[in-house]
Each structure stands twice: as C-alpha cells, then as structure tokens.
Amino acid sequence: SGVGTLGAAAAPAATTAAATGTPNQNDDNWAANPTSTATDRIIYRTAPLAAATTVSGTTSVTLTITPSTSAARVSAVLVDYGTTTMRNYAANDEGITTLTTQSCWGDSSTSDSACYFDTQPDTETVSDDVFERGWADLGHFASLTSQQTLTPGKPVTITFDLNTTDHTIPAGHTLALIIGGTDKGYINAPSGKPKLTVNLASSSIQLPLSQ
C-alpha cells in the first residue's frame, strides 16, 4: 500500500508500490501523514529507535522502477520523525534573527565598518525533519552523461546518492525513507504525471549508520 517498514529484511519477490509524480508537491508534503497512504509518495519507516543513531556520510539508493511515461524524475528523502526544536531555516533569514545591537571587531576604515549587527537563533518545534535529499532523471539510468528516452512499461534500475549529512536521530524517533516523483523547488518536472512503480524486492538503500 506504500506505507511499510524500513529494515534489513528483503521484500518478497514481485512486491511493488507506486507513486505518481505531482509537480506541485514537495518533500514537506510527502512527509505529512506518514501512516496514511498517498498517491504521490511511498514511505517506509523503522520502529522507534532504541538508541540515538547517527546518519553520517552519503546515503545511496538503488531503485528498480517501471515508468508509465517516456520521461520521469525520481526523488528520495530521509525523514526524522519525532518532536524536535530546530533552526527555522525556511524563514526569510534562514534560521537567525538579526538584532538591533552591534558588535565591533577591530578598527573600522572609511570603506569598511568593523561593526556587525548581532544575531540569535530563530527556532521552531516540528514533528518531522527532512534531513537528506536526492534526485535523479530516470532517463540517466545507464549513464550520467547521456539521457535515454524511457519505454513506458519497461523497468529500469537506477542508483543515486543523497546529499552528504551528519544527523543524529534521537532515541524514540523513527527514521523513514520516502520515494516520490518531482520534488518541487529542487528539480523541474517532466511533462505529464509519470506513475513510478517500484519493484521493492530489487530496490535497496545503503545507510552510513553509527550509534
């Protein structure tokens, strides 16, 4: 159904799940309502973690996907589910508040002031944190240097990396992998709304984990 378990066990043969690319959706939309099915993403979560776990390095995702169109994008994100106070990086000042006071460092000159406005953290409390992202044009499944036209109904396998990170997931939180189509704001959508059918038995994720 597209809501399942993220773990070390392989999925049964011929098990699939599908997501339809929706150009106006992004990873924040995908992360909402993690226990409900959705047409624009599939999600797999761990059980609540018994100990704090760190994802440190570069995550790699391998997906076998059958597209419904001749061009498609695929996105994968990692989400930390649990109440967290973090920088409000989506705000205009990207996680800081500029104060009216100033601090000076060294001497000023006629062309450069040594005084700068002080800042303080701008934080918010959230229930989920998308902390790692990656995207791919499915037409590059064979090569990064050449794009191929996809054959609707024919599966292809693609491996791509998520951005490198160093993120600690607290004990009691859950870790999730979400797979979707176009991630609005990060990549451009193809024409139409491709349906991506993922063969779970031949798809995997490699996580650089430590405790």
Side-chain angles (χ1 to χ4, degrees), residues 1 11 18 20 26 37 39-40 69 96 107 113 131 138 156 173 194 203:
S1 62
T20 299
N26 60 19
T37 57
T39 59
D40 58 351
T69 54
I96 64 171
D107 297 326
S113 172
F131 67 91
L138 204 57
V156 297
H173 286 207
S203 298

Side-chain angles (χ1 to χ4, degrees), residues 186-207:
Y186 291 101
I187 56 175
N188 295 323
S191 59
K193 295 182 178 181
K195 182 179 180 180
L196 307 176
T197 301
V198 181
N199 184 325
L200 302 178
S202 57
S203 298
S204 61
I205 178 174
Q206 291 186 334
L207 287 160

